[in-house]
């Protein structure tokens, strides 16, 4: 992979007409280290967030030995990067054949579920393979409520009464019982974890069975751009959020229970940016060579404002507009599809023009894995970059510097 000191160097040297991903292994290493230092339990990286081999390799080199996986392709990706790592199969609804593969070929002994039929599927394989159920921990996924950018309890999770019954059923068979929740993604309100812990404590009381582990899921927020004038407070820094959650874990009586977290976004968001080119500027719109069907769908569906920095093309002689004046530009994607328009504008200097480049920062999460070949476009060029994307100096980020802690 070609390597550059900064993304600007990459843009000026390559003058790319295709999107170029800037991977920052040093930033990824720093972010996983910071998370693990602040979290006292087991950190299982959520592979769906970004399962690229280059990402898994850095995490494995940093000593990450647990991964949250959801499919045979993810089992394989982790095996290739970290052969000895533990796989936690935390998808609540699995194909029978995938459960068999997980238990038989990958040695998986930790799974999640939210329904008795899933218990039956797992039990079928356990009986057929003659495994002692006591070797297996089944995590009951709890339904929770939150106001995350993505609210995932709409899809998964057992209500408290049902969860308690499931826990008793699982315990009765001889499996070890865990409790799990995942409050959503980009969860900016720490109360979401508080409420989920309250539910977990209630389910534990009601079930009255030994609890072998508590999995607090992912959802820890990464930092992105900000709409000018936005009133809501910034999400807390990861260390402060984890401190608060771990205090609440003890308050809710789980101080003696082994903890698991499944962070995704907060680990990998900062590790990538993408350099895109302005194919056309038309009034207050920019047409770029990436979009919703490329690497930017997370911003679209999650309504996440992305931090950007203009890299003007020095070959352009004549410009109009004030380079010091920041304006919102509607962002139209590369495909012919009329829904391929971002739900949030880019805040860019008024002087942005056709042929310029824009570096979009913090797009490591839910970008590469969600690219499609739609309309014949597929961004797939990578460079390595040393210097982090500097959020504080990004264009139009009317964001006050935050103090850590
Ligand atoms: C997607 C997912 C995660 C990771 O979520 P982030 O918001 O990226 O931290 C963790 N756990 C489960 C069960 C998930 O589905």
């Amino acid at each position: 992979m070609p390597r550059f000191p900064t993304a600007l160097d990459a843009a000026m040297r390559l003058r790319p007409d295709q999107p170029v991903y800037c991977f920052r292994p040093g930033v990824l290493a720093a972010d996983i280290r910071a998370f693990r230092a602040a979290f006292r339990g087991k950190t299982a990286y959520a592979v769906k967030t970004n399962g690229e081999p280059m990402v898994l390799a850095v995490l494995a080199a940093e000593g990450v030995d647990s991964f949250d996986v959801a499919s045979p392709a993810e089992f394989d990706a982790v095996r290739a990067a970290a052969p000895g790592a533990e796989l936690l199969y935390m998808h609540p609804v699995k194909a029978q054949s995938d459960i068999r593969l997980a238990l038989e070929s990958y040695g998986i002994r930790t799974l999640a579920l939210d329904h008795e039929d899933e218990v039956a599927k797992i039990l079928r394989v356990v009986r057929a393979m003659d495994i002692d159920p006591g070797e297996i921990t089944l995590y009951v996924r709890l339904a929770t409520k939150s106001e995350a950018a993505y609210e995932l309890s709409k899809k998964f999770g057992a209500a408290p009464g049902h969860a308690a019954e499931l826990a008793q059923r699982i315990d009765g068979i001889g499996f070890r019982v865990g409790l799990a929740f995942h409050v959503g993604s980009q969860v900016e309100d720490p109360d979401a974890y508080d409420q989920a812990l309250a539910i977990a404590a209630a389910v534990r009381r009601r079930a009255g069975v030994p609890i072998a582990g508590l999995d607090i899921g992912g959802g820890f927020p990464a930092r992105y751009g900000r709409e000018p004038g936005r009133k809501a407070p910034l999400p807390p820094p990861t260390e402060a959020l984890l401190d608060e959650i771990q205090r609440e874990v003890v308050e809710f009586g789980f101080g003696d229970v082994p903890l698991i977290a499944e962070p995704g976004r907060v680990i990998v968001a900062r590790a990538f940016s993408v350099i895109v080119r302005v194919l056309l500027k038309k009034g207050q719109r920019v047409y770029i060579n990436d979009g919703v069907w490329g690497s930017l769908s997370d911003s679209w569906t999650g309504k996440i404002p992305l931090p950007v920095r203009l890299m003007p093309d020095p070959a352009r002689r004549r410009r109009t507009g004030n380079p010091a004046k920041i304006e919102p530009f509607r962002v139209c994607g590369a495909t012919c599809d009329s829904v391929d328009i971002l739900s949030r504008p880019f805040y860019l200097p008024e002087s942005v023009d056709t042929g310029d480049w824009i570096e979009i920062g913090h797009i490591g999460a839910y970008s590469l894995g969600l690219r499609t070949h739609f309309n014949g476009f597929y961004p797939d060029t990578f460079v390595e970059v040393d210097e982090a994307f500097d959020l504080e100096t990004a264009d139009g980020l009317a964001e006050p510097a935050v103090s850590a802690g």
Side-chain angles (χ1 to χ4, degrees):
M1 203 185 302
R3 183 169 164 184
F4 298 91
T6 70
L8 182 62
D9 292 331
M12 295 302 117
R13 282 280 296 283
L14 302 172
R15 298 182 56 81
D17 250 351
Q18 309 301 325
V20 174
Y21 297 109
C22 301
F23 177 46
R24 292 159 166 96
V27 170
L28 178 57
D31 285 354
I32 186 65
R33 251 178 247 163
F35 190 95
R36 292 177 85 208
F39 183 61
R40 70 164 167 84
K42 183 189 289 187
T43 298
Y45 172 69
V47 174
K48 81 166 184 295
T49 316
N50 185 330
E52 293 292 315
M54 66 186 101
V55 168
L56 300 179
V58 168
L59 297 179
E62 284 297 315
V64 175
D65 55 4
S66 295
F67 292 84
D68 162 20
V69 289
S71 63
E74 290 188 354
F75 309 162
D76 265 343
V78 174
R79 266 298 135 80
E86 181 186 11
L87 303 174
L88 312 181
Y89 193 3
M90 302 309 279
H91 195 316
V93 181
K94 301 168 281 296
Q96 179 81 65
S97 51
D98 291 348
I99 295 171
R100 173 172 281 275
L101 191 72
L103 269 57
E104 241 175 33
S105 306
Y106 291 86
I108 289 175
R109 293 293 180 267
T110 304
L111 302 90
L113 53 85
D114 64 2
H115 194 273
E116 45 282 4
D117 287 357
E118 199 74 10
V119 181
K121 281 193 234 167
I122 295 166
L123 190 56
R124 216 170 283 148
V125 178
V126 167
R127 291 264 152 83
M129 285 176 64
D130 193 23
I131 307 173
D132 173 2
E135 285 177 23
I136 294 180
T137 309
L138 298 185
Y139 278 79
V140 177
R141 170 85 169 256
L142 308 172
T144 58
K145 279 211 178 325
S146 79
E147 287 175 32
Y150 294 91
E151 158 70 73
L152 289 175
S153 278
K154 284 196 188 109
K155 184 163 176 185
F156 298 122
H162 184 203
E165 274 172 34
L166 279 170
Q168 289 169 344
R169 177 189 295 245
I170 291 166
D171 176 72
I173 295 169
F175 292 115
R176 288 148 54 88
V177 182
L179 297 177
F181 54 77
H182 175 58
V183 289
S185 201
Q186 190 64 12
V187 178
E188 303 204 352
D189 177 9
D191 282 350
Y193 292 92
D194 196 33
Q195 289 163 23
L197 285 166
I199 292 170
V203 169
R204 184 191 194 185
R205 260 196 316 277
R206 190 147 160 184
V209 301
I211 297 299
L214 176 68
D215 183 333
I216 64 170
F220 316 101
R223 286 185 58 204
Y224 291 104
R226 265 168 94 70
E227 307 284 352
R230 185 187 126 130
K231 297 266 164 26
L234 283 172
T238 309
E239 289 79 2
L241 177 59
L242 285 173
D243 279 353
E244 186 177 337
I245 293 171
Q246 289 172 115
R247 255 197 321 276
E248 286 162 1
V249 160
V250 173
E251 273 169 33
F252 281 108
F254 287 106
D256 57 331
V257 174
L259 287 185
I260 302 175
E262 303 164 349
R265 188 185 288 281
V266 75
I267 303 300
V268 79
R270 261 175 17 104
F272 289 82
S273 65
V274 62
I275 300 169
V276 300
R277 195 160 201 186
V278 179
L279 303 179
L280 191 74
K281 178 196 179 193
K282 194 195 270 184
Q284 285 298 113
R285 288 188 207 173
V286 287
Y287 292 76
I288 62 170
N289 58 357
D290 199 344
V292 168
W293 306 109
S295 23
L296 305 177
S297 71
D298 177 56
S299 159
W300 185 60
T301 43
K303 299 191 169 55
I304 291 170
L306 292 168
V308 293
R309 173 176 292 107
L310 181 65
M311 297 169 161
D313 181 359
R316 187 178 185 93
R317 295 284 149 74
R318 298 205 297 161
R319 286 184 184 271
T320 54
N322 178 357
K325 188 171 176 219
I326 299 296
E327 292 272 324
F329 286 87
R330 210 164 156 72
V331 183
C332 299
T335 69
C336 302
D337 183 358
S338 58
V339 310
D340 188 3
I341 300 176
L342 291 192
S343 54
R344 290 290 178 269
F346 284 175
Y347 290 88
L348 292 165
E350 194 185 35
S351 55
V352 61
D353 218 325
T354 301
D356 288 344
W357 293 275
I358 297 168
E359 186 187 13
I360 308 173
H362 298 199
I363 55 89
Y366 306 108
S367 50
L368 302 177
L370 288 163
R371 285 171 293 172
T372 75
H373 285 94
F374 179 50
N375 222 178
F377 298 102
Y378 187 76
D380 201 32
T381 305
F382 292 83
V383 299
E384 201 176 301
V385 164
D386 297 328
E387 196 175 278
F389 181 90
D390 184 2
L391 195 60
E392 309 306 332
T393 63
D395 289 325
L397 264 193
E399 175 157 53
V402 284
S403 57

